Structure formats: C-alpha cells, structure tokens
C-alpha cells in the first residue's frame, strides 16, 4: 500500500503540494490528473525518491520494485533488444551474479544464480523483449539495430519498452502515449490492462485513461482528492462535488452574515452583550469553507477563411516519398482522390506506412514523387507538423514570433493587435516576451496553434497536434475544429479527438490510400484481426507462405493443369532439399526439450534443499545445460534461415 500523508513540497518559491494526502491499494490502476504545471511529475519524483518532501510522509513498501520511463535520450551502440533487456533489473542482477560465481568457480553460487535466472524467466526473456518492441511498432529488421540509429521519438519508445520489461510492483508512466501512433497505443492499452501491479498514469488521453484506470487521483491547488472510477466517472463526480461544495459555502455565508448582523446590532447593548460575545466566539471557531474557484476554461476559434475553393485538392496517380542517396524511395503510390470543402478526414494507418509522408506532400513540405496534385484557386494551408515545436526559435518570445509571421506570411497586424491576439491563447503581460525555450510543452503547442489560427487557412493539415496539450486544451481544439468552416485532415492517436472531429477516414496501408468503411471501433477490430493473422503466420512452419488476408487481397484465378504440375514438382524439390535440415531441427528440438526437463529437475532439487556436497556439481551441470541450450538455439535459428532462403 502507498500512503501519502500531509505532504508539502516546494519547487523554488512555488508550493507544488500543500498538505496533500492519499492512500493507494496494491494492484490498483490510477489515473493522476490535473492541469499542466499542477505538480503531477513532481509527485512521481517523490514516489521514486528523486525529490524529498518538505513536510509529511510518503510510504512505499520497501520490497516493491519501481519502473518508469526515463526521459533522457539514450546514447549507446547496444542493439534495441539488448537495451530493452537491461530494463529487467532482476534478470540483470542474476546474470551479474552468475558471471561472478563462474569467475570464482563457486559451484554453490552458480547454482543459486541459475535458480535466480530461472525465476527471472531468462529462457524466454529475449523473445519477451522483442514482443514488446514489435507491439510498439518496431519492425523485425530493427530489433537488433543500434539504439543510436533511431530518431528521438523511436528512442522514447525504446525507453517505454524498457520500462515495461521491468518486473515491477509499481509502474509510473508519465504521458506514455505521446510518441505512439494509434496502432501502438491500442497494443499498449491491452498490455496495461493485463498488468497486475500498481499502475499510476499521467495522461491527457481521455479514452486511454477510461480503458485502463479504475481510480482517479486529482491534483489541484496542491491537494490530492481520490475518486473511484475512470476519467469520465471522475468528471461526473467532481461536478457533483463542486455543486455540493458551492452550496455548503453559500449556506455558511448566510450563517456568517446572520451572526455578524446580530453582533453588530447588540454588541453595545448591555443586556445582549453576553449573547453577542458568544456569537463572536462561534465565528472565530467556525472552519471557513472556501468558494469554488474552477479553473477558467481555455477556448479559441479559427478565423473565417477568406475563401473556400471546392474542390480544394485533386490527386491524380500521386506518389509520395522521399529522396535518399540511393535514389527515390516511394512510400505511397497511385493516390486518386479529391478533397472537398468542409470535409473532416481522419488519416489512419500503422507507423511507417506513410501517413506523415502523405501529409507533408500535401503541405508542400516535400515534392511529389510522381503524378499530379491540383490545388483549388485560393487554397490556403495551415500545417501543424509533429515536429512543429522544434521549429520555434527558443531565444525569442511569442510576440517576436507573431510579429515575424504577420510580416513574412500575413495577414499583417499591428503590435497591439498581436498582443491582444496572444492574450486569447493565455500569453499575457510579460509572458509575450518570455523566451520560448523556457515555456512548457503545452505553452509551446498553444503558441503554434496561435500562429496557425492567425494565418486564416481554409485547409488544416494536423499531424499529431495533441502531443503536448492538456485535456482542457484538447477539448478547446476539438470545439474549434468542429466550428471551423474549412476542411480538416487529421492524423492523431487521440481517439476522442478523431471521434469528435472526423466523419470519414482514409486508411494508409500497403503503399496505397483507400477509404476506410467504418468507425474507430471498426478500425481497432481490424487492427486486432491483423495482429492475429500475423501471429498465426509466425506460428506456421518455417518457409510456409502466409495466407493472404481475405479482406484486402483478391483470390487468385484457378491454376491450370501445367501450373499445378510445375508447382507440385517445385514443392517436391524443396522438400527434398530441406529434408536433412528439418530432421536436424527435429533432433535439436528433442534435445532442447530433454535439457529443459533436466534443468527443471535440478532446480527443483535445489529448491527442496539438496545435500551440500552435491550443490557445487549441480551448479556446474546447470551451466553446462545453459551453454548447450544457447548453442542449440543458435543452430536451430541458422537452420531456419537456411530453409527460408531455399524456400525463397
């Protein structure tokens, strides 16, 4: 059980937590919510011991292992799988213990280390790490690529996989979905639902919180309030609580006014002085209730476009991709579609299929690789890129950004007009001159939104616009997009935003763009079907070709007699070539099974308490078994690759 008792925490001159208390039970899945800057990440730092509180107590069971996503970008030449394996601290400790035992030739210590490795699941640890990576969107050829070869967003996915790899009793996840696409988010959601430890999540994704959490911890004005239920339930309960709190405050104010009126009327009257004095004391003893001061909602709207061309865009056999030293790499081809005024299009697809590439091509950020893209007369594009925050000038303030935008892009505006406009996005007073580098991620995102709104676009291209937005700002964006008179094309992993804004979807998959006939629930079911098909294909004998997906691949025409004969001869030849390899694989399978049984038997004897004279020999035998299993596994993989090459 985690107990937070009367905690006070200061960060500089700011009081982040002020007399905060809460109790969390083992195995609970908790959503930690609150506005940006409320102190959620500071509370995480308290729970992990990175910060010390000024007053109060934080109690976390000493034996609990803790896991969280490191925020630093890793710099290492280690392969992706090896990097993730290092997150399993129990496994790492057991391997270190085994190395030390072998160096000392200590059979007893070797036996204990082997038992610890077995308990840590060393035998299938590598496959578990790779399953995490593939669930988060990594491809097979990336599993052993050096960490340094990945971009920043992919390295954060590696850090997330490493945190999930740790067998922790307490897992702390701070915005784990920021660098994920919708496919990886759905997978992570399912994984966390199966996690049986205590989980605390900071997230601004309403549907993600609703699907996973059963308790909501609200951090507001330095206080912690626990609510039973997910985020939607929390909103309802909090609204009721605020109504009751305001009613209680108003009743108390009436009572205070009544007492004060009596005191003022009779304090100078001798016959009533005693009663007046008792009411003065009653007022002094009264614990005053505070009025309900709800955070002001953030709202904005997109300005009316100057014109609305229809159609806005027409694609004729469009190909999108990018240029490399080896030549053009086409990601999406043969796009034949139109974009009409007023459409709300959600763009779906797995990471790497070409969603961002398509959007960049439409935004003129990169040239088409082929075909044509015809723009309607008066088309004005507002583009929010995934890396849009990176193009802000960190040494300049919001006002400088707006002045340059009005001068170079337009429409023009006077400085006072720009100051007033920034005020709508909560940049007021001296904040308009504060260096962007010192702003929070949410404040930077609001500045980018302000710059987008100022340009009065009629086509909005939004590529993951919510990554740094809190729930209030996400809701404001959703309202603004629904009231926008132009066209919206949206790539996002925020399902609530997609549901509220989009009325049709395009699916980018297998190098093509096609309409997706269904809603987001249908898409999630489609993703699960795809995962099951991939899993079934992976379980088939090596060399067997995966069956085509009936929904996306047309059945081939019936083969002729000559084709069937040639195919049969090819299969017979392949079987003859691969027979000795398959026989060797079968022999290795049997040997590995026997070794695994022998290892389990030795470990059971050690657990029951073997004779001291036999323990050292058992340790040496366990090491020999581990070495043989490793060699057999490598040979089994080599044979599989040879069979696959022959089949190809």
């Amino acid at each position: 059980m985690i107990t937070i008792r009367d905690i006070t925490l200061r960060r500089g001159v700011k009081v982040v937590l002020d007399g905060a208390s809460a109790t969390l039970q083992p195995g609970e899945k908790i959503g930690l919510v609150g506005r940006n800057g409320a102190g959620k990440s500071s509370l995480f730092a308290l729970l992990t011991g990175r910060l010390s509180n000024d007053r109060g107590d934080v109690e976390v069971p000493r034996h609990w292992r803790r896991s969280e996503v490191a925020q630093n970008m890793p710099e290492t030449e280690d392969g992706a799988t090896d990097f993730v394996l290092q997150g399993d601290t129990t496994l790492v400790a057991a391997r270190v213990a085994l190395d030390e035992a072998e160096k000392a030739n200590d059979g007893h210590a070797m036996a204990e280390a082997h038992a610890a490795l077995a308990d840590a699941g060393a035998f299938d640890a590598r496959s578990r790490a790779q399953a995490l990576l593939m669930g988060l969107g990594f491809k097979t050829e990336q599993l052993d690529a050096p960490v340094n070869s990945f971009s920043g967003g992919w390295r954060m996915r590696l850090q997330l996989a490493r945190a999930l790899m740790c067998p922790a009793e307490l897992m702390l996840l701070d915005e784990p979905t920021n660098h994920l696409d919708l496919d990886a988010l759905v997978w992570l959601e399912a994984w966390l639902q199966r996690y049986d430890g205590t989980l605390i999540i900071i997230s601004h994704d309403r549907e993600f919180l609703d699907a996973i959490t059963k308790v909501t911890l609200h951090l507001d004005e330095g206080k912690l309030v626990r609510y039973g239920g997910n985020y939607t339930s929390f909103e309802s309960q909090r609204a009721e609580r605020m109504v009751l709190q305001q009613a209680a405050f108003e009743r108390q104010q009436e009572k205070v006014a009544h007492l004060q009126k009596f005191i003022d009327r009779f304090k100078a009257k001798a016959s009533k002085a005693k009663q007046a004095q008792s009411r003065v004391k009653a007022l002094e003893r009264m614990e005053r209730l505070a009025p309900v001061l709800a955070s002001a909602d953030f709202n904005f709207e997109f300005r009316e476009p100057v014109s609305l061309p229809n159609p806005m865009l027409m694609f004729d056999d469009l190909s999108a991709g990018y240029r490399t030293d080896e030549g053009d790499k086409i990601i999406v081809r043969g796009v034949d579609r139109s974009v009409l005024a007023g459409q709300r299009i959600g763009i779906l697809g797995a990471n790497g299929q070409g969603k961002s590439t398509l959007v960049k091509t439409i935004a003129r950020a990169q040239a088409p690789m082929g075909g044509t893209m015809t723009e309607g007369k008066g088309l004005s594009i507002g583009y929010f890129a995934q890396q849009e925050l990176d193009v802000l000038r960190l040494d300049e303030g919001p006002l400088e950004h707006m002045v340059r935008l009005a001068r170079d892009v337009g429409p023009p505006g006077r400085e006072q007009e720009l100051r007033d406009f920034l005020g709508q996005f909560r940049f007021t007073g001296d904040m308009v001159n504060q260096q962007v580098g010192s702003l929070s991620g949410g404040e930077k995102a609001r500045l980018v939104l302000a710059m987008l709104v100022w340009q009065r676009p009629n086509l909005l291209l939004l590529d993951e616009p919510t990554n740094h937005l809190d729930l209030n700002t996400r809701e404001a964006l959703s309202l603004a997009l629904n009231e926008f008179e132009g066209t919206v094309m949206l790539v996002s992993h925020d399902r609530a935003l997609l549901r509220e804004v989009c009325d049709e979807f395009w699916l980018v998959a297998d190098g093509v763009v096609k309409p997706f006939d269904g809603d987001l629930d249908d898409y999630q079911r489609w993703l699960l079907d795809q995962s099951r098909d991939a899993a079934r294909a992976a379980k088939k004998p090596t060399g067997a070709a995966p069956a085509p997906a009936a929904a996306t691949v047309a059945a081939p025409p019936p083969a002729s007699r000559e084709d069937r004969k040639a195919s049969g001869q090819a299969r017979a030849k392949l079987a003859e070539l691969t027979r000795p390899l398959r026989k060797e694989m079968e022999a290795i399978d049997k040997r590995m099974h026997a070794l695994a049984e022998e290892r389990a038997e030795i470990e059971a004897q050690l657990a029951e308490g073997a004779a001291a004279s036999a323990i050292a020999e058992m340790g040496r035998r366990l090491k020999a078994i581990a070495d043989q299993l490793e060699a057999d596994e490598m040979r089994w993989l080599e044979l599989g690759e040879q069979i696959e090459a022959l089949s190809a």
Side-chain angles (χ1 to χ4, degrees), residues 576-599:
E576 184 180 353
L577 286 170
T578 59
R579 187 176 295 113
L581 301 178
R582 293 187 185 281
K583 280 189 174 181
E584 187 178 350
M585 287 184 79
E586 288 174 8
I588 291 174
D589 274 332
K590 290 178 181 177
R591 184 164 64 241
M592 290 174 71
H593 182 70
L595 287 169
E597 286 186 342
E598 183 183 356
R599 181 181 62 184

PDB file of all heavy atoms in Angstrom, residues 576-599:
ATOM      1  N   GLU A 576      12.771 -32.161 -50.757  1.00  0.00           N
ATOM      2  CA  GLU A 576      13.994 -32.984 -50.810  1.00  0.00           C
ATOM      3  C   GLU A 576      15.208 -32.190 -50.325  1.00  0.00           C
ATOM      4  O   GLU A 576      16.054 -32.704 -49.581  1.00  0.00           O
ATOM      5  CB  GLU A 576      14.214 -33.465 -52.247  1.00  0.00           C
ATOM      6  CG  GLU A 576      15.396 -34.409 -52.397  1.00  0.00           C
ATOM      7  CD  GLU A 576      15.589 -34.880 -53.834  1.00  0.00           C
ATOM      8  OE1 GLU A 576      14.731 -34.587 -54.692  1.00  0.00           O
ATOM      9  OE2 GLU A 576      16.604 -35.526 -54.102  1.00  0.00           O
ATOM     10  N   LEU A 577      15.273 -30.920 -50.709  1.00  0.00           N
ATOM     11  CA  LEU A 577      16.412 -30.096 -50.312  1.00  0.00           C
ATOM     12  C   LEU A 577      16.410 -29.801 -48.811  1.00  0.00           C
ATOM     13  O   LEU A 577      17.466 -29.739 -48.173  1.00  0.00           O
ATOM     14  CB  LEU A 577      16.391 -28.771 -51.088  1.00  0.00           C
ATOM     15  CG  LEU A 577      16.787 -28.822 -52.572  1.00  0.00           C
ATOM     16  CD1 LEU A 577      16.480 -27.493 -53.248  1.00  0.00           C
ATOM     17  CD2 LEU A 577      18.271 -29.149 -52.721  1.00  0.00           C
ATOM     18  N   THR A 578      15.227 -29.597 -48.274  1.00  0.00           N
ATOM     19  CA  THR A 578      15.149 -29.167 -46.866  1.00  0.00           C
ATOM     20  C   THR A 578      15.003 -30.334 -45.889  1.00  0.00           C
ATOM     21  O   THR A 578      15.055 -30.111 -44.679  1.00  0.00           O
ATOM     22  CB  THR A 578      13.956 -28.209 -46.670  1.00  0.00           C
ATOM     23  OG1 THR A 578      12.741 -28.877 -47.045  1.00  0.00           O
ATOM     24  CG2 THR A 578      14.116 -26.951 -47.512  1.00  0.00           C
ATOM     25  N   ARG A 579      14.803 -31.582 -46.408  1.00  0.00           N
ATOM     26  CA  ARG A 579      14.569 -32.717 -45.502  1.00  0.00           C
ATOM     27  C   ARG A 579      15.679 -32.891 -44.470  1.00  0.00           C
ATOM     28  O   ARG A 579      15.397 -33.008 -43.262  1.00  0.00           O
ATOM     29  CB  ARG A 579      14.364 -34.001 -46.311  1.00  0.00           C
ATOM     30  CG  ARG A 579      13.943 -35.196 -45.426  1.00  0.00           C
ATOM     31  CD  ARG A 579      13.648 -36.430 -46.247  1.00  0.00           C
ATOM     32  NE  ARG A 579      12.498 -36.234 -47.109  1.00  0.00           N
ATOM     33  CZ  ARG A 579      12.537 -36.193 -48.435  1.00  0.00           C
ATOM     34  NH1 ARG A 579      13.704 -36.333 -49.067  1.00  0.00           N
ATOM     35  NH2 ARG A 579      11.447 -36.009 -49.150  1.00  0.00           N
ATOM     36  N   PRO A 580      16.961 -32.897 -44.863  1.00  0.00           N
ATOM     37  CA  PRO A 580      18.002 -33.083 -43.836  1.00  0.00           C
ATOM     38  C   PRO A 580      18.044 -31.932 -42.823  1.00  0.00           C
ATOM     39  O   PRO A 580      18.331 -32.145 -41.645  1.00  0.00           O
ATOM     40  CB  PRO A 580      19.298 -33.156 -44.660  1.00  0.00           C
ATOM     41  CG  PRO A 580      18.975 -32.576 -45.987  1.00  0.00           C
ATOM     42  CD  PRO A 580      17.536 -32.881 -46.229  1.00  0.00           C
ATOM     43  N   LEU A 581      17.747 -30.722 -43.304  1.00  0.00           N
ATOM     44  CA  LEU A 581      17.745 -29.582 -42.384  1.00  0.00           C
ATOM     45  C   LEU A 581      16.612 -29.713 -41.367  1.00  0.00           C
ATOM     46  O   LEU A 581      16.785 -29.452 -40.169  1.00  0.00           O
ATOM     47  CB  LEU A 581      17.590 -28.273 -43.169  1.00  0.00           C
ATOM     48  CG  LEU A 581      18.675 -27.976 -44.225  1.00  0.00           C
ATOM     49  CD1 LEU A 581      18.360 -26.685 -44.958  1.00  0.00           C
ATOM     50  CD2 LEU A 581      20.049 -27.885 -43.567  1.00  0.00           C
ATOM     51  N   ARG A 582      15.420 -30.124 -41.842  1.00  0.00           N
ATOM     52  CA  ARG A 582      14.288 -30.285 -40.931  1.00  0.00           C
ATOM     53  C   ARG A 582      14.529 -31.420 -39.936  1.00  0.00           C
ATOM     54  O   ARG A 582      14.118 -31.332 -38.773  1.00  0.00           O
ATOM     55  CB  ARG A 582      13.006 -30.539 -41.726  1.00  0.00           C
ATOM     56  CG  ARG A 582      12.552 -29.341 -42.549  1.00  0.00           C
ATOM     57  CD  ARG A 582      11.189 -29.574 -43.179  1.00  0.00           C
ATOM     58  NE  ARG A 582      10.820 -28.470 -44.053  1.00  0.00           N
ATOM     59  CZ  ARG A 582      10.337 -27.306 -43.628  1.00  0.00           C
ATOM     60  NH1 ARG A 582      10.161 -27.101 -42.342  1.00  0.00           N
ATOM     61  NH2 ARG A 582      10.035 -26.350 -44.482  1.00  0.00           N
ATOM     62  N   LYS A 583      15.182 -32.500 -40.402  1.00  0.00           N
ATOM     63  CA  LYS A 583      15.496 -33.608 -39.489  1.00  0.00           C
ATOM     64  C   LYS A 583      16.417 -33.144 -38.372  1.00  0.00           C
ATOM     65  O   LYS A 583      16.247 -33.502 -37.202  1.00  0.00           O
ATOM     66  CB  LYS A 583      16.143 -34.769 -40.268  1.00  0.00           C
ATOM     67  CG  LYS A 583      15.144 -35.642 -41.016  1.00  0.00           C
ATOM     68  CD  LYS A 583      15.830 -36.887 -41.565  1.00  0.00           C
ATOM     69  CE  LYS A 583      14.795 -37.831 -42.192  1.00  0.00           C
ATOM     70  NZ  LYS A 583      15.423 -39.059 -42.708  1.00  0.00           N
ATOM     71  N   GLU A 584      17.422 -32.333 -38.745  1.00  0.00           N
ATOM     72  CA  GLU A 584      18.333 -31.820 -37.719  1.00  0.00           C
ATOM     73  C   GLU A 584      17.596 -30.903 -36.752  1.00  0.00           C
ATOM     74  O   GLU A 584      17.843 -30.935 -35.540  1.00  0.00           O
ATOM     75  CB  GLU A 584      19.505 -31.075 -38.372  1.00  0.00           C
ATOM     76  CG  GLU A 584      20.579 -30.677 -37.356  1.00  0.00           C
ATOM     77  CD  GLU A 584      21.765 -29.972 -37.978  1.00  0.00           C
ATOM     78  OE1 GLU A 584      21.880 -29.942 -39.219  1.00  0.00           O
ATOM     79  OE2 GLU A 584      22.594 -29.446 -37.204  1.00  0.00           O
ATOM     80  N   MET A 585      16.662 -30.100 -37.282  1.00  0.00           N
ATOM     81  CA  MET A 585      15.872 -29.226 -36.406  1.00  0.00           C
ATOM     82  C   MET A 585      15.035 -30.045 -35.423  1.00  0.00           C
ATOM     83  O   MET A 585      14.923 -29.702 -34.243  1.00  0.00           O
ATOM     84  CB  MET A 585      14.951 -28.319 -37.241  1.00  0.00           C
ATOM     85  CG  MET A 585      15.666 -27.194 -37.968  1.00  0.00           C
ATOM     86  SD  MET A 585      14.530 -26.096 -38.848  1.00  0.00           S
ATOM     87  CE  MET A 585      13.930 -25.098 -37.494  1.00  0.00           C
ATOM     88  N   GLU A 586      14.459 -31.163 -35.896  1.00  0.00           N
ATOM     89  CA  GLU A 586      13.662 -32.019 -35.017  1.00  0.00           C
ATOM     90  C   GLU A 586      14.526 -32.616 -33.911  1.00  0.00           C
ATOM     91  O   GLU A 586      14.115 -32.690 -32.744  1.00  0.00           O
ATOM     92  CB  GLU A 586      13.006 -33.135 -35.830  1.00  0.00           C
ATOM     93  CG  GLU A 586      11.872 -32.651 -36.731  1.00  0.00           C
ATOM     94  CD  GLU A 586      11.348 -33.764 -37.618  1.00  0.00           C
ATOM     95  OE1 GLU A 586      11.760 -34.924 -37.423  1.00  0.00           O
ATOM     96  OE2 GLU A 586      10.526 -33.473 -38.512  1.00  0.00           O
ATOM     97  N   ALA A 587      15.762 -33.027 -34.283  1.00  0.00           N
ATOM     98  CA  ALA A 587      16.667 -33.598 -33.282  1.00  0.00           C
ATOM     99  C   ALA A 587      17.047 -32.556 -32.233  1.00  0.00           C
ATOM    100  O   ALA A 587      17.108 -32.853 -31.028  1.00  0.00           O
ATOM    101  CB  ALA A 587      17.923 -34.142 -33.977  1.00  0.00           C
ATOM    102  N   ILE A 588      17.287 -31.328 -32.705  1.00  0.00           N
ATOM    103  CA  ILE A 588      17.631 -30.245 -31.766  1.00  0.00           C
ATOM    104  C   ILE A 588      16.447 -29.958 -30.847  1.00  0.00           C
ATOM    105  O   ILE A 588      16.617 -29.747 -29.640  1.00  0.00           O
ATOM    106  CB  ILE A 588      18.052 -28.974 -32.539  1.00  0.00           C
ATOM    107  CG1 ILE A 588      19.397 -29.205 -33.236  1.00  0.00           C
ATOM    108  CG2 ILE A 588      18.145 -27.777 -31.604  1.00  0.00           C
ATOM    109  CD1 ILE A 588      19.828 -28.063 -34.127  1.00  0.00           C
ATOM    110  N   ASP A 589      15.238 -29.953 -31.409  1.00  0.00           N
ATOM    111  CA  ASP A 589      14.034 -29.730 -30.592  1.00  0.00           C
ATOM    112  C   ASP A 589      13.950 -30.747 -29.461  1.00  0.00           C
ATOM    113  O   ASP A 589      13.682 -30.397 -28.303  1.00  0.00           O
ATOM    114  CB  ASP A 589      12.778 -29.826 -31.464  1.00  0.00           C
ATOM    115  CG  ASP A 589      12.451 -28.494 -32.133  1.00  0.00           C
ATOM    116  OD1 ASP A 589      12.811 -27.458 -31.556  1.00  0.00           O
ATOM    117  OD2 ASP A 589      11.845 -28.497 -33.209  1.00  0.00           O
ATOM    118  N   LYS A 590      14.160 -32.025 -29.790  1.00  0.00           N
ATOM    119  CA  LYS A 590      14.073 -33.083 -28.775  1.00  0.00           C
ATOM    120  C   LYS A 590      15.143 -32.896 -27.703  1.00  0.00           C
ATOM    121  O   LYS A 590      14.887 -33.055 -26.511  1.00  0.00           O
ATOM    122  CB  LYS A 590      14.224 -34.463 -29.435  1.00  0.00           C
ATOM    123  CG  LYS A 590      13.032 -34.858 -30.293  1.00  0.00           C
ATOM    124  CD  LYS A 590      13.259 -36.218 -30.951  1.00  0.00           C
ATOM    125  CE  LYS A 590      12.067 -36.595 -31.843  1.00  0.00           C
ATOM    126  NZ  LYS A 590      12.301 -37.881 -32.535  1.00  0.00           N
ATOM    127  N   ARG A 591      16.378 -32.565 -28.149  1.00  0.00           N
ATOM    128  CA  ARG A 591      17.474 -32.388 -27.194  1.00  0.00           C
ATOM    129  C   ARG A 591      17.203 -31.197 -26.273  1.00  0.00           C
ATOM    130  O   ARG A 591      17.415 -31.279 -25.057  1.00  0.00           O
ATOM    131  CB  ARG A 591      18.792 -32.199 -27.937  1.00  0.00           C
ATOM    132  CG  ARG A 591      20.001 -32.110 -26.981  1.00  0.00           C
ATOM    133  CD  ARG A 591      21.324 -32.304 -27.695  1.00  0.00           C
ATOM    134  NE  ARG A 591      21.588 -31.258 -28.656  1.00  0.00           N
ATOM    135  CZ  ARG A 591      21.738 -31.455 -29.971  1.00  0.00           C
ATOM    136  NH1 ARG A 591      21.617 -32.674 -30.468  1.00  0.00           N
ATOM    137  NH2 ARG A 591      21.988 -30.452 -30.787  1.00  0.00           N
ATOM    138  N   MET A 592      16.716 -30.079 -26.848  1.00  0.00           N
ATOM    139  CA  MET A 592      16.419 -28.903 -26.025  1.00  0.00           C
ATOM    140  C   MET A 592      15.311 -29.198 -25.018  1.00  0.00           C
ATOM    141  O   MET A 592      15.351 -28.744 -23.876  1.00  0.00           O
ATOM    142  CB  MET A 592      16.022 -27.719 -26.921  1.00  0.00           C
ATOM    143  CG  MET A 592      17.166 -27.153 -27.748  1.00  0.00           C
ATOM    144  SD  MET A 592      16.652 -25.871 -28.915  1.00  0.00           S
ATOM    145  CE  MET A 592      16.285 -24.527 -27.813  1.00  0.00           C
ATOM    146  N   HIS A 593      14.319 -29.996 -25.441  1.00  0.00           N
ATOM    147  CA  HIS A 593      13.241 -30.368 -24.527  1.00  0.00           C
ATOM    148  C   HIS A 593      13.783 -31.193 -23.361  1.00  0.00           C
ATOM    149  O   HIS A 593      13.432 -30.961 -22.192  1.00  0.00           O
ATOM    150  CB  HIS A 593      12.174 -31.157 -25.296  1.00  0.00           C
ATOM    151  CG  HIS A 593      10.999 -31.547 -24.450  1.00  0.00           C
ATOM    152  ND1 HIS A 593      10.075 -30.640 -23.985  1.00  0.00           N
ATOM    153  CD2 HIS A 593      10.614 -32.767 -23.970  1.00  0.00           C
ATOM    154  CE1 HIS A 593       9.168 -31.274 -23.258  1.00  0.00           C
ATOM    155  NE2 HIS A 593       9.467 -32.560 -23.237  1.00  0.00           N
ATOM    156  N   ALA A 594      14.675 -32.166 -23.681  1.00  0.00           N
ATOM    157  CA  ALA A 594      15.254 -33.018 -22.630  1.00  0.00           C
ATOM    158  C   ALA A 594      16.114 -32.192 -21.673  1.00  0.00           C
ATOM    159  O   ALA A 594      16.073 -32.391 -20.446  1.00  0.00           O
ATOM    160  CB  ALA A 594      16.084 -34.130 -23.272  1.00  0.00           C
ATOM    161  N   LEU A 595      16.908 -31.265 -22.229  1.00  0.00           N
ATOM    162  CA  LEU A 595      17.756 -30.418 -21.384  1.00  0.00           C
ATOM    163  C   LEU A 595      16.907 -29.527 -20.476  1.00  0.00           C
ATOM    164  O   LEU A 595      17.238 -29.321 -19.302  1.00  0.00           O
ATOM    165  CB  LEU A 595      18.661 -29.547 -22.265  1.00  0.00           C
ATOM    166  CG  LEU A 595      19.817 -30.273 -22.969  1.00  0.00           C
ATOM    167  CD1 LEU A 595      20.468 -29.367 -24.008  1.00  0.00           C
ATOM    168  CD2 LEU A 595      20.871 -30.732 -21.952  1.00  0.00           C
ATOM    169  N   ALA A 596      15.802 -28.997 -21.020  1.00  0.00           N
ATOM    170  CA  ALA A 596      14.932 -28.150 -20.211  1.00  0.00           C
ATOM    171  C   ALA A 596      14.322 -28.940 -19.051  1.00  0.00           C
ATOM    172  O   ALA A 596      14.207 -28.436 -17.931  1.00  0.00           O
ATOM    173  CB  ALA A 596      13.825 -27.557 -21.085  1.00  0.00           C
ATOM    174  N   GLU A 597      13.959 -30.202 -19.323  1.00  0.00           N
ATOM    175  CA  GLU A 597      13.407 -31.047 -18.255  1.00  0.00           C
ATOM    176  C   GLU A 597      14.459 -31.333 -17.194  1.00  0.00           C
ATOM    177  O   GLU A 597      14.176 -31.309 -15.986  1.00  0.00           O
ATOM    178  CB  GLU A 597      12.878 -32.354 -18.849  1.00  0.00           C
ATOM    179  CG  GLU A 597      11.577 -32.186 -19.614  1.00  0.00           C
ATOM    180  CD  GLU A 597      11.018 -33.525 -20.057  1.00  0.00           C
ATOM    181  OE1 GLU A 597      11.785 -34.522 -20.077  1.00  0.00           O
ATOM    182  OE2 GLU A 597       9.814 -33.586 -20.378  1.00  0.00           O
ATOM    183  N   GLU A 598      15.708 -31.611 -17.643  1.00  0.00           N
ATOM    184  CA  GLU A 598      16.786 -31.888 -16.684  1.00  0.00           C
ATOM    185  C   GLU A 598      17.061 -30.654 -15.828  1.00  0.00           C
ATOM    186  O   GLU A 598      17.255 -30.759 -14.611  1.00  0.00           O
ATOM    187  CB  GLU A 598      18.059 -32.305 -17.433  1.00  0.00           C
ATOM    188  CG  GLU A 598      19.202 -32.671 -16.483  1.00  0.00           C
ATOM    189  CD  GLU A 598      20.496 -33.006 -17.215  1.00  0.00           C
ATOM    190  OE1 GLU A 598      20.495 -33.035 -18.467  1.00  0.00           O
ATOM    191  OE2 GLU A 598      21.513 -33.220 -16.509  1.00  0.00           O
ATOM    192  N   ARG A 599      17.057 -29.477 -16.465  1.00  0.00           N
ATOM    193  CA  ARG A 599      17.298 -28.243 -15.714  1.00  0.00           C
ATOM    194  C   ARG A 599      16.209 -28.022 -14.662  1.00  0.00           C
ATOM    195  O   ARG A 599      16.498 -27.669 -13.512  1.00  0.00           O
ATOM    196  CB  ARG A 599      17.343 -27.051 -16.678  1.00  0.00           C
ATOM    197  CG  ARG A 599      17.610 -25.709 -15.993  1.00  0.00           C
ATOM    198  CD  ARG A 599      17.613 -24.571 -16.974  1.00  0.00           C
ATOM    199  NE  ARG A 599      16.307 -24.455 -17.609  1.00  0.00           N
ATOM    200  CZ  ARG A 599      16.042 -23.585 -18.588  1.00  0.00           C
ATOM    201  NH1 ARG A 599      16.999 -22.794 -19.036  1.00  0.00           N
ATOM    202  NH2 ARG A 599      14.844 -23.532 -19.133  1.00  0.00           N
TER     203      ARG A 599
END
